Amino acid sequence: MGFHLLLIEDEVNIAKFVELELKHEGFQVTVCHDGREGMELAISNQYDLLLVDLMLPSLNGLEICRRVRKQKNTPIILITARDAIIDRVSGLEAGADDYVVKPFAIEELLARIRAVLRRIVSYIDSTSKLVMDKLVVDKNAHQVFYQEKEIELTKTEYDMLVYLMENENKVLTRDAILETVWGYDTEVETNVVDVYIRHLRKKLPEVSHIIETVRGVGYVMRK
């Protein structure tokens, strides 16, 4: 996975050194030497992580953190020459995920970057998977597994299963399922929902009991 980092650092020599090291490690890097320009780049573009110096011309690192945090959740590592506890606390309270104190070893910076990115990737992976007992839906891969064995579903069956699992313990009406899975302007009859529920239960016999029928209303998935 290629990560794109934004480095906001006004000391040109440091910025060049860090940029070369990051590129050597396989990162894509955009460099900016001005605080206000860097903030505008951070807000208007999509980066995987921001490296922000604390002392910058036109806008300092703390203010960049505060302004970016109002609009985005991009991970931020502050680079600071200040090692006082109050400065570290101020940086974290402003929205930074971590900080590195100058002078730093490039190995330490790389380790902190990787640690922050691992947390982000882990969170994304966890939110892309739906799990119910031994049934797992990987939304990124568009795959369904039961006891680690892949279950082949049609697109409509898959969409219905995802909708049911995303609304665990919530009773979904047939109309709601129709509108979500087939579309708001569908002319499909509501009894088609019952047909596809039967398909799901047949393909997932071990967990068919957790797809419950609520008579006269619709369906609900419960562990």
Side-chain angles (χ1 to χ4, degrees):
M1 184 175 183
F3 293 103
H4 189 180
L5 280 54
L6 172 63
L7 171 62
I8 310 174
E9 167 63 72
D10 63 318
E11 294 186 48
V12 177
N13 289 338
I14 292 178
K16 190 64 180 175
F17 169 68
V18 173
E19 179 188 10
L20 289 173
E21 290 292 333
L22 290 174
K23 286 184 174 179
H24 180 71
E25 293 297 318
F27 295 106
Q28 182 181 349
V29 186
T30 297
V31 179
C32 178
H33 304 297
D34 177 80
R36 190 171 299 280
E37 181 185 344
M39 181 204 66
E40 291 171 355
L41 282 172
I43 290 175
S44 60
N45 295 281
Q46 189 63 43
Y47 299 101
D48 296 296
L49 186 141
L50 310 179
L51 291 170
V52 184
D53 187 33
L54 188 62
M55 303 302 292
L56 291 163
S58 75
L59 199 66
N60 67 48
L62 288 181
E63 192 58 32
I64 291 173
C65 283
R66 293 190 189 100
R67 297 190 188 188
V68 169
R69 275 291 164 266
K70 288 180 180 178
Q71 300 189 47
K72 309 186 86 169
N73 292 317
T74 310
I76 301 171
I77 295 179
L78 274 180
I79 301 173
T80 173
R82 299 175 175 178
D83 194 23
I85 291 177
I86 185 65
D87 293 312
R88 285 178 276 169
V89 170
S90 297
L92 296 173
E93 288 184 343
D97 295 88
D98 201 352
Y99 61 89
V100 177
V101 178
K102 293 179 180 178
F104 55 82
I106 192 64
E107 290 81 8
E108 179 190 5
L109 178 62
L110 289 169
R112 290 181 180 272
I113 288 171
R114 291 191 181 106
V116 171
L117 291 174
R118 270 198 305 271
R119 293 200 299 269
I120 300 303
V121 170
S122 176
Y123 173 75
I124 291 172
D125 285 346
S126 67
T127 56
S128 72
K129 289 183 179 178
L130 300 170
V131 181
M132 192 174 289
D133 294 335
K134 297 176 182 177
L135 179 66
V136 178
V137 174
D138 186 336
K139 293 196 291 182
N140 280 345
H142 213 274
Q143 291 175 300
V144 178
F145 300 90
Y146 179 75
Q147 289 186 326
E148 300 183 357
K149 177 185 177 183
E150 186 173 1
I151 307 298
E152 295 290 339
L153 298 181
T154 66
K155 181 183 182 304
T156 301
E157 291 165 352
Y158 172 86
D159 290 344
M160 181 179 286
L161 180 63
V162 167
Y163 185 45
L164 287 166
M165 291 181 70
E166 285 180 336
N167 290 275
E168 181 183 343
N169 296 323
K170 179 180 177 182
V171 177
L172 302 173
T173 66
R174 289 174 174 82
D175 285 333
I177 295 172
L178 268 182
E179 289 176 355
T180 300
V181 177
W182 278 269
Y184 287 95
D185 57 350
T186 183
E187 295 181 1
V188 176
E189 297 294 329
T190 55
N191 63 355
V192 171
V193 173
D194 304 324
V195 172
Y196 274 85
I197 289 290
R198 287 199 296 272
H199 289 173
L200 278 179
R201 285 172 171 161
K202 187 174 181 179
K203 289 187 176 182
L204 299 165
E206 297 88 352
V207 291
S208 62
H209 61 284
I210 65 176
I211 306 175
E212 298 180 16
T213 302
V214 181
R215 293 192 179 279
V217 182
Y219 297 92
V220 59
M221 245 180 139
R222 294 192 180 99
K223 290 183 181 178

